[in-house]
Amino acid sequence: MAYDGTLKFDTSIDASGFQKDANKLGDIVKGLGIFKLIEKGLQGIAASIDGAVTRYDTLNRFPRVLQNMGYGAEEADAATRKLSDGVQGLPTRLDEVVSNAQRLTVLTGNLEGATDTTLALNNAFLASGSGAEDASRGLTQYVQMLSSGKVDMESWRTLQETMGYALTKTAESFGYAGES
């Protein structure tokens, strides 16, 4: 059987439904992006609240620890005020210096000396160009060296990184800094 002729197909594509569905998909994707932003915002708020609670706990724990060590409430309050005045206008957080002063007081048994040492070291770190985070890291390393009774290489390197200028000036004042 032979076929002579042509076969014609009339095709057209109705894309209106596709475009509508694509727009819906785009809206869903945009909506997910908004949810991600909202989620990040809520995470930030939660982190801020956690930080505030931690700071509050640190500042409330300080007088109790000192009272357990035999110091009066007035002495704890005076130390907190001195620490607060000492970091006023500096990038160092009050709860960090209070925590370090507490640790030093526990180690040395001397609240006034621990308070003065905390502020002096914090100032030495900042004068050497350390930011608040490095100052905290260096102060923590100092407390660890004091508690162990020895200086290891990691501790020394941390102090060199966080307060190099102050260490150089201290060595010069003792006559240990030479031309080398």
Side-chain angles (χ1 to χ4, degrees), residues 18-33:
F18 175 78
Q19 188 61 44
K20 187 173 74 173
D21 291 341
N23 289 343
K24 284 182 185 177
L25 182 61
D27 290 342
I28 290 171
V29 170
K30 287 178 189 174
L32 290 175

Side-chain angles (χ1 to χ4, degrees), residues 56-142:
Y56 179 79
D57 286 346
T58 299
L59 294 173
N60 277 337
R61 188 173 43 249
F62 185 60
R64 286 194 311 262
V65 169
L66 295 179
Q67 286 175 350
N68 289 339
M69 293 180 67
Y71 293 99
E74 300 83 23
E75 292 169 300
D77 187 49
T80 302
R81 269 184 293 170
K82 187 173 188 177
L83 290 167
S84 178
D85 291 345
V87 297
Q88 193 71 28
L90 299 177
T92 309
R93 290 187 355 228
L94 178 59
D95 65 309
E96 289 176 352
V97 292
V98 165
S99 176
N100 283 314
Q102 177 182 315
R103 291 171 61 198
L104 282 171
T105 302
V106 169
L107 284 172
T108 64
N110 182 344
L111 175 60
E112 188 174 334
T115 301
D116 291 340
T117 300
T118 298
L119 291 174
L121 285 170
N122 184 65
N123 291 338
F125 292 123
L126 296 176
S128 295
S130 290
E133 189 173 302
D134 280 340
S136 178
R137 182 171 62 102
L139 194 51
T140 298
Q141 197 68 49
Y142 175 81

